Amino acid sequence: MIDSQLYKGSLQPILLKLLQDNGKMYGYEMTQKIKLMSNNQLEIKEGALYPALHKLEAQGIIEVEAEKIDGRIRKYYKLTEFGEKESVNRLQSIVNTLEQLQQLLQPKNI
């Protein structure tokens, strides 16, 4: 079983990685990709997704493009030039944090 609280704090890096790997994506597409990649263990709700995306947009890390699809406006999110660089830094930071946690939780005999 997955601890959703741990994922809650990792949502922004997960979104950055998705955008880094897939280019522009829309919100529902992101939630479905996360669900697929986690083998249906993690389901991101709109109430968590869009505030995280808006925060990344306010920080200048992502930008929004609107396209009309079948008479409806669909918002696509993509990394800005600054966001491409910043996502590398943030993703490396979370990798470092995970390595530290692993050392703390599974220490080798000292």
Side-chain angles (χ1 to χ4, degrees), residues 18-101:
L18 279 178
L19 293 173
Q20 195 178 63
D21 291 349
N22 298 286
K24 69 180 186 177
M25 298 179 79
Y26 58 95
Y28 180 76
E29 180 181 22
M30 289 181 206
T31 63
Q32 294 309 298
K33 186 80 168 180
I34 291 168
K35 191 174 180 181
L36 177 68
M37 292 172 66
S38 69
N39 295 319
N40 295 320
Q41 295 292 307
L42 183 61
E43 190 172 334
I44 304 298
K45 304 286 186 193
E46 288 182 14
L49 176 69
Y50 290 105
L53 289 170
H54 294 165
K55 188 170 185 179
L56 289 168
E57 183 183 10
Q59 294 169 347
I61 295 171
I62 64 172
E63 60 188 1
V64 180
E65 289 181 0
E67 287 185 24
K68 197 168 192 174
I69 309 274
D70 296 327
R72 297 182 64 192
I73 300 295
R74 179 179 287 169
K75 291 183 179 181
Y76 285 92
Y77 300 88
K78 70 177 191 172
L79 293 172
T80 62
E81 189 175 319
F82 168 70
E84 289 177 21
K85 296 172 188 165
E86 184 64 16
S87 66
V88 170
N89 295 333
R90 290 188 182 196
L91 292 171
Q92 186 58 53
S93 177
I94 198 162
V95 167
N96 294 343
T97 301
L98 291 171
E99 288 172 355
Q100 288 294 314
L101 283 172

